[in-house]
Amino acid sequence: MNAEHYTYRVRWSPEDEAFIGTVAEMPSLSWVGDKSNDAFQGIQALVKDVLDDMLESGETPPQAIADRTYSGKFMVRVTPESHRQLAIDAAEQNVSLNRLAASRLVH
């Protein structure tokens, strides 16, 4: 496992008056830093340590999002009323329902 392949985010926390580094694949982990770079380096080092500990104890670390393969398909359930409104919106825009839904999900 390569800690550099994981999905990191650094954001400012007004409550903590500091930058918070997180990793999507391990949502229970975070690192606080005075500078954004400190938060990033801290969370990345923490992930590396956690990965080492997991491997040492025989646990299977989560696969990095970047290393996964995706089919491009997934199912979403909506209410019948929402389905009808989406079909109307798609027809009015002269696009398929799939194209309309995909564009709304991405934005």
Side-chain angles (χ1 to χ4, degrees):
M1 289 278 135
N2 187 339
E4 292 181 0
H5 289 199
Y6 283 80
T7 307
Y8 298 96
R9 176 174 290 197
V10 174
R11 65 176 176 80
W12 174 253
S13 170
E15 299 84 25
D16 298 307
E17 295 186 357
F19 290 93
I20 309 294
T22 58
V23 58
E25 294 85 349
M26 298 179 194
S28 63
L29 300 181
S30 64
W31 191 271
V32 178
D34 291 332
K35 297 180 182 177
S36 61
N37 197 41
D38 295 339
F40 176 72
Q41 290 175 349
I43 189 63
Q44 196 171 39
L46 178 59
V47 167
K48 183 181 180 322
D49 290 344
V50 168
L51 290 174
D52 290 344
D53 288 346
M54 290 179 81
L55 292 171
E56 187 176 304
S57 67
E59 295 179 66
T60 302
Q63 186 178 20
I65 292 171
D67 294 341
R68 299 176 195 169
T69 57
Y70 297 90
S71 68
K73 296 180 188 181
F74 71 97
M75 299 285 293
V76 177
R77 295 198 183 275
V78 295
T79 64
E81 296 80 18
S82 295
H83 191 170
R84 179 179 296 109
Q85 186 58 54
L86 288 167
I88 291 168
D89 292 351
E92 289 176 344
Q93 294 178 36
N94 197 30
V95 297
S96 70
L97 181 56
N98 184 67
R99 180 166 295 212
L100 177 76
S103 71
R104 289 192 180 176
L105 286 169
V106 172
H107 295 99

